PDB file of all heavy atoms in Angstrom:
ATOM      1  N   PRO A 567      46.882   8.830 -19.075  1.00 94.00           N
ATOM      2  CA  PRO A 567      45.451   8.766 -19.066  1.00 94.00           C
ATOM      3  C   PRO A 567      44.811   7.359 -19.268  1.00 94.00           C
ATOM      4  O   PRO A 567      43.956   6.972 -18.612  1.00 94.00           O
ATOM      5  CB  PRO A 567      45.021   9.795 -20.176  1.00 94.00           C
ATOM      6  CG  PRO A 567      46.144  10.748 -20.248  1.00 94.00           C
ATOM      7  CD  PRO A 567      47.389   9.934 -19.943  1.00 94.00           C
ATOM      8  N   THR A 600      48.738  17.833 -16.427  1.00 93.00           N
ATOM      9  CA  THR A 600      48.202  18.864 -17.214  1.00 93.00           C
ATOM     10  C   THR A 600      46.683  18.796 -17.305  1.00 93.00           C
ATOM     11  O   THR A 600      46.114  17.822 -16.909  1.00 93.00           O
ATOM     12  CB  THR A 600      48.857  18.860 -18.697  1.00 93.00           C
ATOM     13  OG1 THR A 600      48.339  17.662 -19.320  1.00 93.00           O
ATOM     14  CG2 THR A 600      50.313  18.911 -18.696  1.00 93.00           C
ATOM     15  N   SER A 601      46.059  19.962 -17.795  1.00 93.00           N
ATOM     16  CA  SER A 601      44.671  19.818 -17.923  1.00 93.00           C
ATOM     17  C   SER A 601      44.267  18.729 -18.933  1.00 93.00           C
ATOM     18  O   SER A 601      43.192  18.046 -18.680  1.00 93.00           O
ATOM     19  CB  SER A 601      44.228  21.185 -18.436  1.00 93.00           C
ATOM     20  OG  SER A 601      42.764  21.120 -18.646  1.00 93.00           O
ATOM     21  N   GLU A 602      45.031  18.499 -19.989  1.00 94.00           N
ATOM     22  CA  GLU A 602      44.667  17.435 -20.970  1.00 94.00           C
ATOM     23  C   GLU A 602      44.773  16.005 -20.301  1.00 94.00           C
ATOM     24  O   GLU A 602      43.975  15.220 -20.654  1.00 94.00           O
ATOM     25  CB  GLU A 602      45.716  17.608 -22.193  1.00 94.00           C
ATOM     26  CG  GLU A 602      45.474  18.791 -23.030  1.00 94.00           C
ATOM     27  CD  GLU A 602      46.023  20.090 -22.409  1.00 94.00           C
ATOM     28  OE1 GLU A 602      46.762  19.952 -21.481  1.00 94.00           O
ATOM     29  OE2 GLU A 602      45.646  21.227 -22.788  1.00 94.00           O
ATOM     30  N   SER A 603      45.856  15.814 -19.558  1.00 95.00           N
ATOM     31  CA  SER A 603      46.098  14.505 -18.961  1.00 95.00           C
ATOM     32  C   SER A 603      44.888  14.157 -17.919  1.00 95.00           C
ATOM     33  O   SER A 603      44.362  13.090 -17.882  1.00 95.00           O
ATOM     34  CB  SER A 603      47.411  14.309 -18.302  1.00 95.00           C
ATOM     35  OG  SER A 603      47.541  15.229 -17.153  1.00 95.00           O
ATOM     36  N   ILE A 604      44.543  15.206 -17.166  1.00 96.00           N
ATOM     37  CA  ILE A 604      43.388  15.009 -16.219  1.00 96.00           C
ATOM     38  C   ILE A 604      42.114  14.721 -16.982  1.00 96.00           C
ATOM     39  O   ILE A 604      41.390  13.854 -16.588  1.00 96.00           O
ATOM     40  CB  ILE A 604      43.325  16.238 -15.372  1.00 96.00           C
ATOM     41  CG1 ILE A 604      44.559  16.243 -14.419  1.00 96.00           C
ATOM     42  CG2 ILE A 604      42.067  16.110 -14.468  1.00 96.00           C
ATOM     43  CD1 ILE A 604      44.677  15.083 -13.351  1.00 96.00           C
ATOM     44  N   SER A 605      41.907  15.580 -17.988  1.00 94.00           N
ATOM     45  CA  SER A 605      40.648  15.325 -18.769  1.00 94.00           C
ATOM     46  C   SER A 605      40.618  14.003 -19.404  1.00 94.00           C
ATOM     47  O   SER A 605      39.580  13.153 -19.392  1.00 94.00           O
ATOM     48  CB  SER A 605      40.432  16.480 -19.877  1.00 94.00           C
ATOM     49  OG  SER A 605      40.367  17.739 -19.202  1.00 94.00           O
ATOM     50  N   GLY A 606      41.681  13.577 -20.054  1.00 95.00           N
ATOM     51  CA  GLY A 606      41.851  12.316 -20.690  1.00 95.00           C
ATOM     52  C   GLY A 606      41.600  11.155 -19.719  1.00 95.00           C
ATOM     53  O   GLY A 606      41.074  10.063 -20.056  1.00 95.00           O
ATOM     54  N   THR A 607      41.987  11.236 -18.442  1.00 96.00           N
ATOM     55  CA  THR A 607      41.881  10.221 -17.455  1.00 96.00           C
ATOM     56  C   THR A 607      40.347  10.236 -16.895  1.00 96.00           C
ATOM     57  O   THR A 607      39.875   9.171 -16.854  1.00 96.00           O
ATOM     58  CB  THR A 607      42.777  10.551 -16.205  1.00 96.00           C
ATOM     59  OG1 THR A 607      44.129  10.377 -16.688  1.00 96.00           O
ATOM     60  CG2 THR A 607      42.465   9.531 -15.099  1.00 96.00           C
ATOM     61  N   MET A 608      39.791  11.424 -16.584  1.00 96.00           N
ATOM     62  CA  MET A 608      38.578  11.497 -16.044  1.00 96.00           C
ATOM     63  C   MET A 608      37.342  11.338 -16.814  1.00 96.00           C
ATOM     64  O   MET A 608      36.249  10.892 -16.329  1.00 96.00           O
ATOM     65  CB  MET A 608      38.482  12.796 -15.136  1.00 96.00           C
ATOM     66  CG  MET A 608      39.489  12.771 -13.989  1.00 96.00           C
ATOM     67  SD  MET A 608      39.267  11.509 -12.890  1.00 96.00           S
ATOM     68  CE  MET A 608      37.527  11.688 -12.455  1.00 96.00           C
ATOM     69  N   ILE A 609      37.424  11.714 -18.043  1.00 94.00           N
ATOM     70  CA  ILE A 609      36.221  11.624 -18.929  1.00 94.00           C
ATOM     71  C   ILE A 609      35.718  10.214 -19.053  1.00 94.00           C
ATOM     72  O   ILE A 609      34.528   9.971 -18.863  1.00 94.00           O
ATOM     73  CB  ILE A 609      36.517  12.285 -20.341  1.00 94.00           C
ATOM     74  CG1 ILE A 609      36.561  13.848 -20.334  1.00 94.00           C
ATOM     75  CG2 ILE A 609      35.499  11.791 -21.377  1.00 94.00           C
ATOM     76  CD1 ILE A 609      36.981  14.488 -21.625  1.00 94.00           C
ATOM     77  N   PRO A 610      36.531   9.241 -19.399  1.00 94.00           N
ATOM     78  CA  PRO A 610      36.016   7.793 -19.439  1.00 94.00           C
ATOM     79  C   PRO A 610      35.547   7.356 -18.057  1.00 94.00           C
ATOM     80  O   PRO A 610      34.693   6.576 -17.904  1.00 94.00           O
ATOM     81  CB  PRO A 610      37.167   7.028 -19.983  1.00 94.00           C
ATOM     82  CG  PRO A 610      38.421   7.816 -19.840  1.00 94.00           C
ATOM     83  CD  PRO A 610      37.951   9.236 -19.908  1.00 94.00           C
ATOM     84  N   VAL A 611      36.229   7.834 -16.985  1.00 94.00           N
ATOM     85  CA  VAL A 611      35.802   7.389 -15.656  1.00 94.00           C
ATOM     86  C   VAL A 611      34.510   7.884 -15.292  1.00 94.00           C
ATOM     87  O   VAL A 611      33.626   7.203 -14.816  1.00 94.00           O
ATOM     88  CB  VAL A 611      36.907   7.802 -14.654  1.00 94.00           C
ATOM     89  CG1 VAL A 611      36.425   7.559 -13.207  1.00 94.00           C
ATOM     90  CG2 VAL A 611      38.201   7.176 -14.865  1.00 94.00           C
ATOM     91  N   PRO A 641      46.675  22.080 -12.660  1.00 93.00           N
ATOM     92  CA  PRO A 641      45.439  22.679 -13.352  1.00 93.00           C
ATOM     93  C   PRO A 641      44.284  22.659 -12.462  1.00 93.00           C
ATOM     94  O   PRO A 641      43.342  21.915 -12.501  1.00 93.00           O
ATOM     95  CB  PRO A 641      45.228  21.671 -14.501  1.00 93.00           C
ATOM     96  CG  PRO A 641      45.709  20.389 -14.048  1.00 93.00           C
ATOM     97  CD  PRO A 641      46.930  20.701 -13.082  1.00 93.00           C
ATOM     98  N   THR A 644      40.667  22.600 -13.702  1.00 93.00           N
ATOM     99  CA  THR A 644      40.346  21.300 -14.239  1.00 93.00           C
ATOM    100  C   THR A 644      39.975  20.265 -13.120  1.00 93.00           C
ATOM    101  O   THR A 644      38.952  19.453 -13.321  1.00 93.00           O
ATOM    102  CB  THR A 644      41.380  20.656 -15.117  1.00 93.00           C
ATOM    103  OG1 THR A 644      41.785  21.686 -16.124  1.00 93.00           O
ATOM    104  CG2 THR A 644      40.974  19.463 -15.836  1.00 93.00           C
ATOM    105  N   GLN A 647      36.512  20.726 -12.182  1.00 91.00           N
ATOM    106  CA  GLN A 647      35.579  20.210 -13.258  1.00 91.00           C
ATOM    107  C   GLN A 647      35.191  18.717 -13.132  1.00 91.00           C
ATOM    108  O   GLN A 647      34.073  18.320 -13.408  1.00 91.00           O
ATOM    109  CB  GLN A 647      36.143  20.500 -14.645  1.00 91.00           C
ATOM    110  CG  GLN A 647      35.073  20.182 -15.817  1.00 91.00           C
ATOM    111  CD  GLN A 647      35.864  20.573 -17.098  1.00 91.00           C
ATOM    112  OE1 GLN A 647      36.890  21.092 -17.235  1.00 91.00           O
ATOM    113  NE2 GLN A 647      35.193  20.115 -18.180  1.00 91.00           N
ATOM    114  N   TYR A 648      36.132  17.967 -12.714  1.00 94.00           N
ATOM    115  CA  TYR A 648      35.880  16.494 -12.673  1.00 94.00           C
ATOM    116  C   TYR A 648      35.754  15.850 -11.370  1.00 94.00           C
ATOM    117  O   TYR A 648      35.253  14.717 -11.254  1.00 94.00           O
ATOM    118  CB  TYR A 648      37.095  15.796 -13.526  1.00 94.00           C
ATOM    119  CG  TYR A 648      37.155  16.163 -14.904  1.00 94.00           C
ATOM    120  CD1 TYR A 648      38.100  16.959 -15.422  1.00 94.00           C
ATOM    121  CD2 TYR A 648      36.142  15.670 -15.815  1.00 94.00           C
ATOM    122  CE1 TYR A 648      38.024  17.367 -16.808  1.00 94.00           C
ATOM    123  CE2 TYR A 648      36.092  15.937 -17.150  1.00 94.00           C
ATOM    124  CZ  TYR A 648      37.062  16.786 -17.693  1.00 94.00           C
ATOM    125  OH  TYR A 648      37.170  17.199 -18.955  1.00 94.00           O
ATOM    126  N   PHE A 649      36.251  16.498 -10.336  1.00 96.00           N
ATOM    127  CA  PHE A 649      36.364  15.897  -9.001  1.00 96.00           C
ATOM    128  C   PHE A 649      35.347  16.408  -8.023  1.00 96.00           C
ATOM    129  O   PHE A 649      34.944  17.556  -8.129  1.00 96.00           O
ATOM    130  CB  PHE A 649      37.782  16.009  -8.392  1.00 96.00           C
ATOM    131  CG  PHE A 649      38.841  15.188  -9.076  1.00 96.00           C
ATOM    132  CD1 PHE A 649      39.650  15.960 -10.016  1.00 96.00           C
ATOM    133  CD2 PHE A 649      39.047  13.933  -8.845  1.00 96.00           C
ATOM    134  CE1 PHE A 649      40.658  15.144 -10.742  1.00 96.00           C
ATOM    135  CE2 PHE A 649      40.126  13.155  -9.555  1.00 96.00           C
ATOM    136  CZ  PHE A 649      40.861  13.829 -10.465  1.00 96.00           C
TER     137      PHE A 649
END
Side-chain angles (χ1 to χ4, degrees):
T600 64
S601 178
E602 291 74 20
S603 67
I604 291 297
S605 297
T607 298
M608 293 304 299
I609 287 176
V611 172
T644 305
Q647 183 178 354
Y648 294 107
F649 290 97

